[in-house]
Amino acid sequence: MTFFKRIARSTTVVAIVAFALVAPVNLASAETISVDAGGNVNDSRPITGTGQNLPSMGATSDIWVIGPYLAPVITSYYSSGQALKDQSEVSAAALKWTRSWVKKECGSTKPAKVRACKAAAVFDIDETLLNNYETFAKADPQFTIVAADFAAANANCTTPVIAPVRALFDAFKKLGVTSFIITGRAENDRVSTETCLAQAGIVGYGALKLKPTGNTQNAAARKSGQRQALIEKGWKIGPSIGDQISDMTNGSMQRGFLLPNLMYYVP
Ligand SMILES: [Mg+2]
């Protein structure tokens, strides 16, 4: 289904959205689809998502923001609760898949055994664990990047947690799966990022991998390299959870779980 058809669909589920706004986050049910990673992926793995992401438009570097033209559609998607519902569905699918992967990989779902077999997951930060929607929505023009606003949001931790993804992070901890965080934020932002994660209740991860100073790789290449370095230390990486295809391409993981992002695309 195309991006625009998905948008149209999202406007027809007012009743479901209303329910989602008052219901607790439910990790028990999932309605997700297979996502096509596109033709430029070196080592593709299956990806599960909701279809609520931007196409690449041929971008090969930097960041491609959607801008103000579609602002009412984007605002409706996030403020209606549909984004939260879709984030819950992807999280539920990730937990279900990871339980069965762990069982196969470690021969057990007992936390001590899962920890001993070095089962791991990877999480991204922005639009995965923490939410920048308010900063993008307040930008002028809307859904463009005002660098100073983003720097302030990160420094002041005005980036709310994405609750169903934090619930997934916690569920992995219970299962004995070690979560690593791999982000496009810069090494210079380590202290503020660690502070904001802790403030959001995200604690007990294996390591936080930021973009090294001077690194010029695109996100897909850099993040897959950072995953590979973990594998070389003996970790088995099952799921990679992010809001960009580039969080889960070029291999060094088993399955991608793609959270929605209607605001920007990172190659
Ligand atoms: Mg992200």
Side-chain angles (χ1 to χ4, degrees):
M1 198 178 282
T2 66
F3 168 69
F4 290 103
K5 281 182 183 167
R6 290 261 162 202
I7 293 291
R9 187 195 68 166
S10 75
T11 62
T12 65
V13 289
V14 174
I16 296 170
V17 165
F19 174 76
L21 280 172
V22 295
V25 172
N26 180 8
L27 282 180
S29 67
E31 185 193 345
T32 51
I33 60 165
S34 291
V35 177
D36 182 356
N40 296 322
V41 174
N42 295 328
D43 185 3
S44 187
R45 293 284 188 275
I47 295 175
T48 299
T50 58
Q52 297 285 10
N53 295 81
L54 301 179
S56 78
M57 305 293 282
T60 55
S61 63
D62 299 328
I63 179 170
W64 187 88
V65 287
I66 197 153
Y69 182 71
L70 289 172
V73 173
I74 302 166
T75 304
S76 162
Y77 177 70
Y78 285 92
S79 60
S80 67
Q82 186 64 39
L84 183 62
K85 179 177 178 290
D86 287 346
Q87 287 155 346
S88 298
E89 288 181 353
V90 174
S91 299
L95 183 56
K96 187 177 173 192
W97 180 87
T98 302
R99 275 207 182 106
S100 101
W101 171 74
V102 154
K103 199 168 184 183
K104 198 171 64 173
E105 197 67 38
C106 304
S108 171
T109 51
K110 288 188 176 154
K113 289 201 170 168
V114 176
R115 270 192 292 274
C117 103
K118 298 192 88 171
V122 170
F123 286 82
D124 165 58
I125 295 182
D126 291 294
E127 277 49 77
T128 298
L129 287 165
L130 301 179
N131 181 1
N132 292 283
Y133 166 76
E134 290 297 337
T135 309
F136 273 104
K138 274 191 276 187
D140 185 11
Q142 272 190 302
F143 302 105
T144 58
I145 290 180
V146 180
D149 292 349
F150 279 92
N154 291 351
N156 301 322
C157 301
T158 52
T159 46
V161 73
I162 298 177
V165 185
R166 179 179 57 191
L168 176 65
F169 176 91
D170 288 341
F172 283 171
K173 244 196 295 189
K174 256 185 149 174
L175 188 60
V177 171
T178 300
S179 291
F180 290 89
I181 299 180
I182 299 183
T183 174
R185 293 188 184 195
E187 189 61 49
N188 286 347
D189 295 327
R190 177 175 290 277
V191 173
S192 61
T193 298
E194 285 172 343
T195 303
C196 294
L197 288 172
Q199 221 165 284
I202 297 155
V203 291
Y205 41 85
L208 168 65
K209 305 284 183 186
L210 298 112
K211 183 178 182 175
T213 306
N215 182 284
T216 56
Q217 291 173 293
N218 70 12
R222 179 175 48 78
K223 290 191 168 191
S224 60
Q226 289 172 310
R227 290 194 302 271
Q228 185 56 32
L230 292 170
I231 289 170
E232 282 162 17
K233 286 184 177 168
W235 293 99
K236 300 177 178 82
I237 301 179
S240 181
I241 298 102
D243 64 291
Q244 300 290 329
I245 294 269
S246 54
D247 289 320
M248 52 200 69
T249 49
N250 294 16
S252 302
M253 37 76 67
Q254 293 305 313
R255 192 171 192 112
F257 291 92
L258 183 62
L259 293 154
N261 185 346
L262 301 191
M263 300 180 289
Y264 61 92
Y265 176 87
V266 180

mmCIF file of all heavy atoms in Angstrom, residues 24-31 88-89 91-93 95-96 99:
data_model
loop_
_atom_site.group_PDB
_atom_site.id
_atom_site.type_symbol
_atom_site.label_atom_id
_atom_site.label_comp_id
_atom_site.label_asym_id
_atom_site.label_seq_id
_atom_site.Cartn_x
_atom_site.Cartn_y
_atom_site.Cartn_z
ATOM 1 N N PRO A 24 -4.317 1.454 27.951
ATOM 2 C CA PRO A 24 -2.901 1.301 28.263
ATOM 3 C C PRO A 24 -2.179 0.694 27.065
ATOM 4 O O PRO A 24 -2.796 0.070 26.214
ATOM 5 C CB PRO A 24 -2.911 0.322 29.441
ATOM 6 C CG PRO A 24 -4.221 -0.383 29.356
ATOM 7 C CD PRO A 24 -5.176 0.554 28.692
ATOM 8 N N VAL A 25 -0.874 0.908 27.033
ATOM 9 C CA VAL A 25 -0.088 0.340 25.932
ATOM 10 C C VAL A 25 -0.197 -1.178 25.985
ATOM 11 O O VAL A 25 0.006 -1.790 27.012
ATOM 12 C CB VAL A 25 1.381 0.780 26.066
ATOM 13 C CG1 VAL A 25 2.244 0.056 25.054
ATOM 14 C CG2 VAL A 25 1.467 2.280 25.860
ATOM 15 N N ASN A 26 -0.547 -1.760 24.855
ATOM 16 C CA ASN A 26 -0.800 -3.190 24.817
ATOM 17 C C ASN A 26 0.238 -3.865 23.934
ATOM 18 O O ASN A 26 0.279 -3.658 22.739
ATOM 19 C CB ASN A 26 -2.217 -3.418 24.261
ATOM 20 C CG ASN A 26 -2.548 -4.884 24.194
ATOM 21 O OD1 ASN A 26 -1.795 -5.720 24.686
ATOM 22 N ND2 ASN A 26 -3.668 -5.197 23.575
ATOM 23 N N LEU A 27 1.077 -4.666 24.548
ATOM 24 C CA LEU A 27 2.099 -5.360 23.772
ATOM 25 C C LEU A 27 1.593 -6.714 23.293
ATOM 26 O O LEU A 27 2.332 -7.494 22.738
ATOM 27 C CB LEU A 27 3.358 -5.551 24.622
ATOM 28 C CG LEU A 27 4.257 -4.331 24.790
ATOM 29 C CD1 LEU A 27 5.451 -4.673 25.652
ATOM 30 C CD2 LEU A 27 4.730 -3.787 23.455
ATOM 31 N N ALA A 28 0.316 -6.992 23.509
ATOM 32 C CA ALA A 28 -0.167 -8.347 23.229
ATOM 33 C C ALA A 28 -0.646 -8.541 21.801
ATOM 34 O O ALA A 28 -0.769 -9.662 21.338
ATOM 35 C CB ALA A 28 -1.293 -8.693 24.194
ATOM 36 N N SER A 29 -0.960 -7.473 21.079
ATOM 37 C CA SER A 29 -1.487 -7.681 19.740
ATOM 38 C C SER A 29 -0.674 -6.892 18.733
ATOM 39 O O SER A 29 -0.097 -5.863 19.044
ATOM 40 C CB SER A 29 -2.941 -7.229 19.685
ATOM 41 O OG SER A 29 -3.000 -5.829 19.842
ATOM 42 N N ALA A 30 -0.630 -7.393 17.511
ATOM 43 C CA ALA A 30 0.168 -6.697 16.496
ATOM 44 C C ALA A 30 -0.488 -6.821 15.134
ATOM 45 O O ALA A 30 -1.027 -7.860 14.782
ATOM 46 C CB ALA A 30 1.568 -7.288 16.451
ATOM 47 N N GLU A 31 -0.477 -5.738 14.381
ATOM 48 C CA GLU A 31 -0.918 -5.783 12.996
ATOM 49 C C GLU A 31 0.158 -5.070 12.186
ATOM 50 O O GLU A 31 0.158 -3.859 12.056
ATOM 51 C CB GLU A 31 -2.264 -5.077 12.837
ATOM 52 C CG GLU A 31 -2.813 -5.218 11.430
ATOM 53 C CD GLU A 31 -3.963 -4.257 11.186
ATOM 54 O OE1 GLU A 31 -4.494 -3.715 12.166
ATOM 55 O OE2 GLU A 31 -4.296 -4.047 10.013
ATOM 56 N N SER A 88 3.052 0.793 19.158
ATOM 57 C CA SER A 88 2.711 -0.360 20.003
ATOM 58 C C SER A 88 2.714 -1.641 19.192
ATOM 59 O O SER A 88 3.181 -2.689 19.654
ATOM 60 C CB SER A 88 1.331 -0.171 20.645
ATOM 61 O OG SER A 88 1.342 0.954 21.476
ATOM 62 N N GLU A 89 2.195 -1.557 17.966
ATOM 63 C CA GLU A 89 2.106 -2.764 17.135
ATOM 64 C C GLU A 89 3.488 -3.275 16.748
ATOM 65 O O GLU A 89 3.749 -4.483 16.778
ATOM 66 C CB GLU A 89 1.263 -2.484 15.886
ATOM 67 C CG GLU A 89 -0.205 -2.337 16.215
ATOM 68 C CD GLU A 89 -1.077 -2.080 15.000
ATOM 69 O OE1 GLU A 89 -0.526 -1.875 13.904
ATOM 70 O OE2 GLU A 89 -2.295 -2.090 15.158
ATOM 71 N N SER A 91 6.238 -2.731 18.371
ATOM 72 C CA SER A 91 6.879 -3.221 19.595
ATOM 73 C C SER A 91 6.387 -4.617 19.950
ATOM 74 O O SER A 91 7.169 -5.491 20.354
ATOM 75 C CB SER A 91 6.608 -2.267 20.760
ATOM 76 O OG SER A 91 7.138 -0.989 20.466
ATOM 77 N N ALA A 92 5.089 -4.832 19.781
ATOM 78 C CA ALA A 92 4.522 -6.156 20.070
ATOM 79 C C ALA A 92 5.108 -7.204 19.126
ATOM 80 O O ALA A 92 5.454 -8.315 19.542
ATOM 81 C CB ALA A 92 3.000 -6.108 19.941
ATOM 82 N N ALA A 93 5.221 -6.842 17.859
ATOM 83 C CA ALA A 93 5.782 -7.785 16.881
ATOM 84 C C ALA A 93 7.237 -8.099 17.226
ATOM 85 O O ALA A 93 7.691 -9.240 17.093
ATOM 86 C CB ALA A 93 5.676 -7.198 15.472
ATOM 87 N N LEU A 95 8.675 -8.051 20.206
ATOM 88 C CA LEU A 95 8.770 -8.906 21.396
ATOM 89 C C LEU A 95 8.437 -10.357 21.038
ATOM 90 O O LEU A 95 9.138 -11.284 21.435
ATOM 91 C CB LEU A 95 7.844 -8.385 22.495
ATOM 92 C CG LEU A 95 7.894 -9.157 23.818
ATOM 93 C CD1 LEU A 95 9.327 -9.211 24.369
ATOM 94 C CD2 LEU A 95 6.954 -8.549 24.842
ATOM 95 N N LYS A 96 7.391 -10.517 20.255
ATOM 96 C CA LYS A 96 6.963 -11.868 19.865
ATOM 97 C C LYS A 96 8.085 -12.565 19.074
ATOM 98 O O LYS A 96 8.441 -13.710 19.363
ATOM 99 C CB LYS A 96 5.693 -11.755 19.008
ATOM 100 C CG LYS A 96 5.050 -13.071 18.688
ATOM 101 C CD LYS A 96 3.773 -12.863 17.904
ATOM 102 C CE LYS A 96 3.225 -14.218 17.452
ATOM 103 N NZ LYS A 96 2.169 -14.082 16.461
ATOM 104 N N ARG A 99 11.230 -13.364 21.349
ATOM 105 C CA ARG A 99 11.046 -14.522 22.242
ATOM 106 C C ARG A 99 11.351 -15.813 21.487
ATOM 107 O O ARG A 99 12.042 -16.688 21.985
ATOM 108 C CB ARG A 99 9.607 -14.554 22.768
ATOM 109 C CG ARG A 99 9.400 -13.691 23.988
ATOM 110 C CD ARG A 99 8.245 -14.212 24.850
ATOM 111 N NE ARG A 99 8.038 -13.332 25.980
ATOM 112 C CZ ARG A 99 7.016 -12.481 26.100
ATOM 113 N NH1 ARG A 99 6.098 -12.416 25.161
ATOM 114 N NH2 ARG A 99 6.919 -11.713 27.166
#
